[in-house]
Amino acid sequence: MAKWGMVIDLEKCTGCQACSTACQMENNRLPGENYQDVIYYTEGRQPTPSLKWFPRPCMHCEEPSCMHVCPTKATFKTEDGVVLIDWNKCIGCKYCMVACPYGVRFYTDEKALLEPNLKDVFKGEGELSWNPPYKGPQQDPAHGVGIQPAGVVSKCTFCYHKISKAPKGVPDLDEDVAELREFVPACVRCCAPKARYFGDLDNPASKVSRLISEKDGTRLLDHTGNKPQVYYLTGAGAAGSAVPSSRSTTSKA
Amino acid sequence: MSNSKPASVNQVWLVSLAALAVSVAVVGMNLMGQGHAAFNTTSHGPLAWGMPVVTYDYFVSFSIGMAFVAGAALVFDVEGLYASMKRVLWIAMAALAGGILVLGLELGHPFRATYAILLNFQTSSPLFWKPILVFLYIWVLLAAYAKVARPGWSPAAVKPLGYALFITGGLLAAGSAAVFGLMSMRPVWYDPMLPVFSIFESMILGLSGIIVAVSIGHGGVANAPEPTRKLLEGLGRNGMALFTAVVLLSVVVRAWGGVWSNLDGLQVWQTIVRGPLFWAEIVALALALALLLRGGGLLSAAVLVIVATFIGRYEFVIAGQMVPLFKGSWVPGLVSYAPSITEWMVAVLGLALNFAIYAYGEKRLDLSAAPGN
């Protein structure tokens, strides 16, 4: 069984947010609810500040704190290493949102980030939170895939509706391989500078394994013990370089 | 309705019913119209737990405090509290009822929660254990109340349940604190000693609660039966002063450590100590302590403690979530949050329910029934 993971090369990432857009389209996400965010920030001060950016999908951790705190086992880990949410079990307590150190989870029964609220424009039927004019072909609440119902938490699924149908035993899901293209997560497939790689972390022959080994892949907030399955290539190999170092001590306006 | 009760009971009854009616109307209208969008909690702030969680957690602590008072009276044969035993247990149940109602309004699927938590047996989650502890605690509360509600109840017969109140209350206080204290990814919360602090906080809430309840039930502590009055003015006052000092010291030391540390996440304390709420909490606790030590204003001290601990709980729950996570399109400063009108009214609803149940008990259930009466 594969252990799916992702490698993001920060030296290649241009911050174009094609990954975010692709994810929004694939998973019917609204502004403020992006499974895949690119976070911009500045490092340093005048006269030598620099603008940086940081792409952040769900880390699909080996030891996900979100899963351990979920009181109903709604958050679970598949055999192939993907952390998912069973919307049929989620009670909307939001403990997973509190326990995730990365901020990748969303409870969308909230004030809209932008007006008009598209959930009011395209009202959902039944439990579904909205009814977008374009919908992905999938609705799989047991794996947290599709239109999010009201009262539950959602997150990135590594496009589980795609990768779960991939041929068994392939080391990587590479969009350059025609027969595998349809199984590649949307953010990886649409990454213009090819900064993203997706494959089997347990397979030493996979490209992701080799990149992590050869380029000293690092994990975000590794000290939390969550052991992310998303690795960053920073060029320097230092964990700190992937994290904004200038946290503010004041509230945002 | 009995007319022999002090006017304060009728006032509490009427005010709580009015508050209940208004808050039910506002909360019902807003939640049915907007769902949880009526709350100011947000995924893109992000701040997942706001005022409703603060209120729920506070009411649970308050209830535990009352259970500690009842347990102490039974275990240590504190005869001065026997006449208030029924009242104390009734208030503990009322506070828990208010808390559970507020939690139900906060959860996305409250009815699913009633079975999904137990059936799925996620033993690694503090929120699996907490409902179980709440269930055990309710069972002990009900059993103890059923015993003391019988005419001529015997303290010796209820004593085993006094131990049970201590044990289940203590476990629940610790379990509630663990929900926050085990979160190593939230440095403001992470504290293995948090359950101990939580138990002390429950103790001062319980002592404050009994002082306020006796004041309402008898029209002032001075009008209470002699054994109760002497107990509250003596042991009650001294015990409350001691525990208030411990809580005050804990709050100051925690803030001190937070401001001093450069651990990423603890910079929140620099914002907290610049805010008015933190100082309101400190001043209220210090004032209560001064009143207790100087021998005056027992009721004032109790009210100050009740307000200060609520502020403290609010600061604690919110502060733990103020560090921005990796979300959005620009890394923000610290997350800011203020409860919405609906969230305030949810808190009022819980409080009004507490007081309505309590006042109903005062009017209908003879909460001052002493053993052998």
Side-chain angles (χ1 to χ4, degrees):
Chain A
M1 184 62 74
K3 183 169 90 175
W4 295 121
M6 189 181 287
V7 170
I8 303 176
D9 190 338
L10 295 178
E11 289 192 303
K12 281 187 176 180
C13 176
T14 60
C16 69
Q17 303 189 70
C19 50
S20 299
T21 308
C23 176
Q24 279 186 339
M25 295 295 290
E26 183 68 33
N27 294 291
N28 299 111
R29 306 304 294 175
L30 286 171
E33 302 174 359
N34 292 339
Y35 287 162
Q36 160 58 58
D37 273 328
V38 178
I39 301 150
Y40 285 78
Y41 60 100
T42 52
E43 287 279 16
R45 296 176 185 278
Q46 292 289 0
T48 55
S50 60
L51 178 65
K52 297 197 173 184
W53 51 89
F54 183 70
R56 192 276 303 134
C58 170
M59 301 291 143
H60 292 274
C61 305
E62 286 177 34
E63 290 292 340
S65 49
C66 57
M67 181 183 81
H68 292 306
V69 302
C70 176
T72 63
K73 289 188 180 172
T75 295
F76 64 101
K77 200 162 170 63
T78 63
E79 284 188 343
D80 46 359
V82 183
V83 178
L84 298 174
I85 303 173
D86 183 345
W87 284 334
N88 297 320
K89 283 186 177 179
C90 179
I91 59 170
C93 67
K94 299 187 271 188
Y95 200 12
C96 55
M97 294 174 66
V98 164
C100 172
Y102 306 105
V104 306
R105 289 172 163 259
F106 299 89
Y107 184 77
T108 64
D109 307 19
E110 297 169 348
K111 287 183 175 62
L113 188 64
L114 299 174
E115 293 291 343
N117 184 356
L118 289 178
K119 287 177 186 165
D120 291 335
V121 178
F122 303 105
K123 287 189 182 299
E125 295 165 2
E127 282 206 327
L128 300 187
S129 57
W130 70 307
N131 182 26
Y134 165 78
K135 280 196 281 288
Q138 69 290 334
Q139 185 68 28
D140 180 7
H143 293 94
V145 173
I147 308 294
Q148 182 172 350
V152 301
V153 173
S154 64
K155 62 178 276 298
C156 155
T157 65
F158 266 173
C159 285
Y160 194 71
H161 53 289
K162 289 169 168 280
I163 64 169
S164 59
K165 294 172 185 153
K168 303 298 174 202
V170 292
D172 293 285
L173 294 178
D174 186 343
E175 71 274 18
D176 288 341
V177 181
E179 57 268 28
L180 296 177
R181 193 168 293 152
E182 283 305 313
F183 311 117
V184 178
C187 59
V188 178
R189 186 171 173 183
C190 292
C191 181
K194 291 188 70 67
R196 289 181 180 236
Y197 306 88
F198 192 83
D200 182 358
L201 294 172
D202 275 353
N203 187 335
S206 70
K207 192 163 188 176
V208 287
S209 293
R210 283 188 283 115
L211 282 170
I212 292 165
S213 171
E214 291 165 7
K215 295 198 169 187
D216 208 2
T218 186
R219 305 193 281 197
L220 185 61
L221 300 185
D222 218 3
H223 67 275
T224 62
N226 280 26
K227 300 179 183 172
Q229 288 174 199
V230 172
Y231 287 76
Y232 292 92
L233 307 181
T234 67
S241 61
V243 184
S245 64
S246 53
R247 284 215 195 275
S248 172
T249 56
T250 55
S251 299
K252 66 182 174 183
Chain B
M1 305 282 167
S2 165
N3 292 324
S4 61
K5 291 291 174 186
S8 50
V9 171
N10 282 327
Q11 287 165 2
V12 169
W13 172 247
L14 292 174
V15 170
S16 60
L17 284 186
L20 204 54
V22 171
S23 55
V24 164
V26 174
V27 170
M29 192 169 63
N30 289 352
L31 283 185
M32 280 192 282
Q34 304 171 50
H36 283 148
F39 292 173
N40 278 350
T41 47
T42 166
S43 293
H44 44 76
L47 192 137
W49 286 349
M51 179 63 107
V53 170
V54 174
T55 310
Y56 158 68
D57 210 46
Y58 180 78
F59 286 163
V60 170
S61 286
F62 192 93
S63 175
I64 293 167
M66 299 308 283
F68 281 158
V69 170
L74 291 168
V75 170
F76 301 116
D77 302 318
V78 185
E79 292 181 14
L81 273 177
Y82 285 168
S84 298
M85 188 60 60
K86 198 172 165 187
R87 174 177 288 114
V88 169
L89 292 170
W90 182 254
I91 294 172
M93 291 191 289
L96 199 60
I100 289 172
L101 173 70
V102 170
L103 178 67
L105 295 170
E106 154 73 13
L107 291 177
H109 286 280
F111 296 111
R112 188 182 291 170
T114 58
Y115 61 86
I117 292 176
L118 285 177
L119 292 181
N120 286 289
F121 220 71
Q122 174 62 305
T123 53
S124 64
S125 172
L127 279 191
F128 166 76
W129 293 106
K130 189 173 176 183
I132 290 176
L133 293 171
V134 167
F135 178 79
L136 289 173
Y137 173 71
I138 290 175
W139 187 86
V140 173
L141 268 184
L142 287 173
Y145 182 81
K147 292 248 185 198
V148 301
R150 289 181 191 152
W153 64 277
S154 156
V158 192
K159 195 166 188 172
L161 286 171
Y163 288 106
L165 282 170
F166 260 130
I167 293 167
T168 54
L171 287 173
L172 180 55
S176 298
V179 170
F180 302 94
L182 296 182
M183 296 291 101
S184 60
M185 64 293 294
R186 301 279 186 176
V188 171
W189 288 349
Y190 183 58
D191 182 358
M193 292 300 285
L194 199 62
V196 177
F197 172 79
S198 177
I199 286 170
F200 277 111
E201 202 176 49
S202 286
M203 283 176 171
I204 56 170
L205 276 173
L207 288 169
S208 301
I210 184 65
I211 290 166
V212 171
V214 166
S215 298
I216 295 172
H218 296 285
V221 173
N223 299 329
E226 189 62 13
T228 305
R229 191 189 63 74
K230 274 190 173 170
L231 181 74
L232 292 181
E233 285 290 359
L235 187 62
R237 176 186 291 277
N238 293 337
M240 195 164 146
L242 174 64
F243 296 141
T244 302
V246 171
V247 169
L248 178 59
L249 187 65
S250 303
V251 171
V252 170
V253 167
R254 196 162 59 192
W256 195 321
V259 171
W260 175 84
S261 174
N262 57 9
L263 176 68
D264 186 33
L266 287 185
Q267 68 272 49
V268 169
W269 281 106
Q270 294 169 29
T271 299
I272 291 175
V273 299
R274 285 199 291 261
L277 285 179
F278 173 76
W279 291 107
E281 179 191 6
I282 295 290
V283 168
L285 285 173
L287 204 55
L289 184 59
L291 283 170
L292 291 165
L293 292 175
R294 290 170 64 90
L298 199 56
L299 178 61
S300 302
V303 171
L304 281 169
V305 162
I306 287 171
V307 172
T309 44
F310 185 81
I311 293 172
R313 188 62 56 104
Y314 176 88
E315 287 271 86
F316 179 72
V317 172
I318 303 305
Q321 304 170 81
M322 282 174 66
V323 172
L325 304 177
F326 298 89
K327 191 171 269 183
S329 57
W330 189 268
V331 64
L334 296 182
V335 174
S336 55
Y337 164 81
S340 67
I341 293 291
T342 310
E343 287 172 286
W344 275 116
M345 293 312 282
V346 165
V348 170
L349 174 54
L351 191 66
L353 183 68
N354 291 351
F355 274 106
I357 293 174
Y358 160 68
Y360 176 85
E362 287 285 3
K363 290 168 78 69
R364 292 295 180 102
L365 299 175
D366 186 18
L367 296 183
S368 299
N373 280 357

